[in-house]
Amino acid sequence: MQKIRLKDIIKNPDIIGIGNNVDVKGWVRTKRGNNFVQFIALNDGSIVTNLQIVVDNEKFDEALLKQITTGSCIHVIGKLVESQGKGQTIEVQAESIEVYGSADPEQYPLQKKGHSMEFLREIAHLRPRTNYFGCVLRLRHAMAYAIHKYFNDRCFYYLHTPLITSSDAEGAGEMFNVTTFDLNNIPKTEDGKVDYKQDFFGKHTNLTVSGQLEGELGALALGNIYTFGPTFRAENSNTPRHLAEFWMIEPEMAFYDISDNMDLAEDFIKYLVKYALENNMDDLRFLNDMFDKSLIERLESVTKVDFVRLGYTEAIDILLKANKKFEYPVKWGIDLQSEHERYLVENHFKRPVILTDYPKEIKAFYMKLNDDGKTVRAMDVLFPSIGEIIGGSEREADYNKLLTRVNELNMTEQQYWWYFDTRKFGSAPHSGFGLGFERLLLFITGMTNIRDVIPFPRTPQNAEF
Ligand code: 4AD
Ligand code: MG
């Protein structure tokens, strides 16, 4: 039999036709009624709207009806009719019902509505069955699809960079070790150090903090590439914006300077927001109405405004003049804290800001040095309520300058010999950036905690599911 999802039936009842029989399967959200008739709200995860199933008690065994409780999974065959009731235009008059799986009301954790987000995090295995998470997960899917579409349509190639790496990409964060050693019996060298030669890869390896360095190798061959995969940072930062395992999109483009890079970043984010507005309005409207009343308005406004482009030095001036006491004092050279970023975006400019030309000391070794010798061609895109959503730069393409910087930082060319090779053989100006997928989703869904936009969050002391 042809498989039909509730989304298709609800959006386009004509594919079944009023008066015809339909075959639906899903989970019961609620059941209410009286001695004569029951109304079941059925949801199969394809759409936030439920399908109403009308049950004439007389036609069914009482024992069967008893098993149909919130959370149970059922299969219904019945006639599609126009609904007489409020709240829906169509409904199904049940002819036959099969219970696939019951859900004991005494035990089912989602028996009642209105659970807190904190509680739902503890039942991450079941929370996709709530309306909130259904919306979030469908939007997450839509954004992933839109990202691939955006790049595919513009001749960017999807490059799979390794998750296990022997390079500390950029000191972007503490790394997770990857080893097959028995931790109770680690082989040591004569001078007492860990003997990685005996480990699986014959060297010290980690989970990657970024695919960028390998991305650059791809860009200097294919022109434009992007990566889209999981990224790992073992920072012990328990904030609403950090995960230990998050997904990152990293485009890398040959022949792009910093200003081309900014243009792409702005166009990319606007495209994704527009995509959600054009294709996922049901989910956005639900989140807007139930959770964050200004969500849709905020999304629409971002697609219309030009992002501010501002140098780090000017930003520091604005912060110094700000009539606000910051927890972290402001002076030239500091790494901006989220309170500073949010002041610029939410109070001062009231729109997204792209900050450029940061002091080289607070940025990674690969960023192109400006003529002043002090700042680098970095760019961070800062968003309302989120702070940094994108980090990127033009890359240092000059072999000698890169070597000087690497030496200044007490790193060695040897560590990155393959990276240096690209500067020796056919080097080219190039740029790229990384968009945090979950940070994007915080913006798109209006959720306030990053743990609520990824199905199974990984944070310090938490890897249950
Ligand atoms: O600014 P970051 O560290 O930049 C890089 O990793 C570069 N290699 C990117 C590049 O140029 N190709 O990280 C990029 C973005 C941040 O702006 C933020 O959105 C997100 O990744 N991010 C995190 N998201 C969730 N949890 C964390 N712990 C994150 N750390 C960074
Ligand atoms: Mg950054």
Side-chain angles (χ1 to χ4, degrees):
M1 171 176 281
Q2 198 195 352
K3 303 275 186 197
I4 294 186
R5 306 294 306 275
L6 294 194
K7 180 181 178 181
D8 297 323
I9 300 171
I10 289 167
K11 288 275 164 194
N12 182 14
D14 292 345
I15 56 170
I16 300 289
I18 297 294
N20 291 334
N21 262 5
V22 12
D23 180 312
V24 292
K25 293 156 186 168
W27 291 268
V28 173
R29 285 295 167 78
T30 55
K31 186 179 81 169
R32 61 189 172 83
N34 52 37
N35 290 338
F36 309 103
V37 62
Q38 309 274 336
F39 300 96
I40 299 170
L42 192 73
N43 193 290
D44 72 350
S46 60
I47 182 170
V48 67
T49 319
N50 300 320
L51 181 66
Q52 174 152 290
I53 311 289
V54 185
V55 181
D56 182 350
N57 290 2
E58 263 189 359
K59 288 191 190 160
F60 297 90
D61 199 31
E62 208 184 315
L64 177 102
L65 293 185
K66 266 202 169 139
Q67 284 184 59
I68 304 174
T69 55
T70 299
S72 61
C73 183
I74 60 172
H75 173 195
V76 180
I77 298 174
K79 198 198 273 183
L80 188 67
V81 296
E82 272 167 22
S83 177
Q84 306 302 315
K86 274 192 193 152
Q88 65 276 322
T89 53
I90 53 158
E91 61 192 22
V92 172
Q93 286 170 346
E95 304 285 347
S96 85
I97 304 179
E98 179 185 358
V99 176
Y100 282 145
S102 58
D104 182 352
E106 298 292 321
Q107 292 186 41
Y108 183 55
L110 293 171
Q111 182 62 29
K112 293 207 178 69
K113 285 186 173 176
H115 292 296
S116 71
M117 287 296 172
E118 286 79 8
F119 172 74
L120 293 177
R121 266 172 234 149
E122 288 168 21
I123 51 164
H125 59 306
L126 293 172
R127 69 178 181 172
R129 293 197 199 169
T130 63
N131 282 334
Y132 281 135
F133 284 92
C135 291
V136 167
L137 294 179
R138 281 185 296 272
L139 282 162
R140 189 175 165 106
H141 160 81
M143 288 296 93
Y145 174 76
I147 285 162
H148 286 299
K149 179 167 169 49
Y150 179 86
F151 287 126
N152 183 64
D153 290 351
R154 286 160 185 76
C155 202
F156 281 61
Y157 299 109
Y158 183 23
L159 184 75
H160 295 103
T161 50
L163 298 191
I164 300 175
T165 165
S166 61
S167 79
D168 172 3
E170 47 188 283
E174 290 296 311
M175 307 183 84
F176 290 100
N177 290 306
V178 175
T179 180
T180 52
F181 280 156
D182 170 0
L183 296 185
N184 293 312
N185 187 16
I186 297 173
K188 298 275 170 69
T189 57
E190 273 172 12
D191 52 358
K193 293 195 172 136
V194 178
D195 186 4
Y196 287 110
K197 283 212 174 67
Q198 295 187 47
D199 204 351
F200 188 90
F201 296 106
K203 50 166 48 182
H204 184 199
T205 51
N206 301 299
L207 290 179
T208 187
V209 295
S210 157
Q212 178 198 322
L213 300 190
E214 295 88 353
E216 287 186 51
L217 311 179
L220 293 172
L222 298 171
N224 297 336
I225 63 92
Y226 68 104
T227 73
F228 184 3
T231 315
F232 307 88
R233 297 191 186 176
E235 357 172 38
N236 202 356
S237 40
N238 244 319
T239 81
R241 286 180 304 278
H242 288 88
L243 290 165
E245 177 181 289
F246 64 99
W247 287 62
M248 186 153 58
I249 301 100
E250 294 184 279
E252 192 70 35
M253 300 75 63
F255 320 120
Y256 271 52
D257 66 13
I258 185 74
S259 126
D260 301 324
N261 205 22
M262 287 191 273
D263 291 345
L264 183 75
E266 183 168 344
D267 185 63
F268 179 45
I269 297 200
K270 285 178 170 167
Y271 173 92
L272 296 176
V273 175
K274 269 188 213 145
Y275 186 94
L277 287 166
E278 281 165 19
N279 296 280
N280 302 86
M281 211 31 154
D282 289 347
D283 291 329
L284 291 178
R285 194 168 311 286
F286 180 86
L287 293 172
N288 186 88
D289 294 349
M290 304 299 290
F291 193 75
D292 176 349
K293 299 269 186 281
S294 57
L295 175 64
I296 291 174
E297 190 191 314
R298 215 165 47 240
L299 293 176
E300 278 168 352
S301 101
V302 157
T303 65
K304 289 178 197 142
V305 298
D306 288 334
F307 295 5
V308 173
R309 298 185 183 192
L310 183 78
Y312 169 93
T313 305
E314 291 82 63
I316 292 289
D317 284 344
I318 292 172
L319 292 170
L320 284 172
K321 284 186 199 134
N323 192 11
K324 183 177 161 84
K325 191 153 173 42
F326 295 108
E327 197 185 324
Y328 292 87
V330 176
K331 67 171 191 204
W332 199 94
I334 61 159
D335 203 355
L336 295 185
Q337 302 295 318
S338 152
E339 55 171 342
H340 306 131
E341 297 175 340
R342 292 183 63 173
Y343 176 83
L344 291 169
V345 174
E346 289 162 27
N347 302 76
H348 192 83
F349 291 108
K350 299 189 169 61
R351 59 170 76 180
V353 174
I354 312 184
L355 268 192
T356 55
D357 303 301
Y358 285 73
K360 66 177 179 184
E361 285 76 18
I362 57 171
K363 289 292 180 187
F365 74 92
Y366 50 69
M367 297 192 180
K368 186 175 171 69
L369 191 64
N370 281 320
D371 292 342
D372 63 11
K374 290 198 301 195
T375 58
V376 286
R377 268 174 225 179
M379 56 168 233
D380 279 5
V381 181
L382 312 178
F383 254 54
S385 5
I386 291 157
E388 180 189 334
I389 193 167
I390 279 182
S393 72
E394 183 168 347
R395 319 304 188 190
E396 185 56 79
D398 183 277
Y399 175 85
N400 290 314
K401 286 187 186 159
L402 188 67
L403 186 60
T404 309
R405 187 69 190 132
V406 159
N407 289 336
E408 271 172 20
L409 292 168
N410 293 324
M411 297 155 45
T412 62
E413 178 177 359
Q414 215 182 1
Q415 270 176 287
Y416 296 98
W417 65 271
W418 44 272
Y419 188 72
F420 273 91
D421 261 9
T422 55
R423 274 56 173 181
K424 279 191 204 159
F425 309 124
S427 187
H430 64 289
S431 299
F433 61 82
L435 168 68
F437 190 45
E438 287 75 21
R439 300 252 176 113
L440 169 78
L441 288 169
L442 282 177
F443 185 71
I444 297 281
T445 62
M447 292 279 149
T448 51
N449 194 309
I450 200 161
R451 292 164 180 78
D452 301 331
V453 294
I454 186 165
F456 306 104
R458 295 288 172 262
T459 50
Q461 300 297 313
N462 173 28
E464 179 73 18
F465 303 95

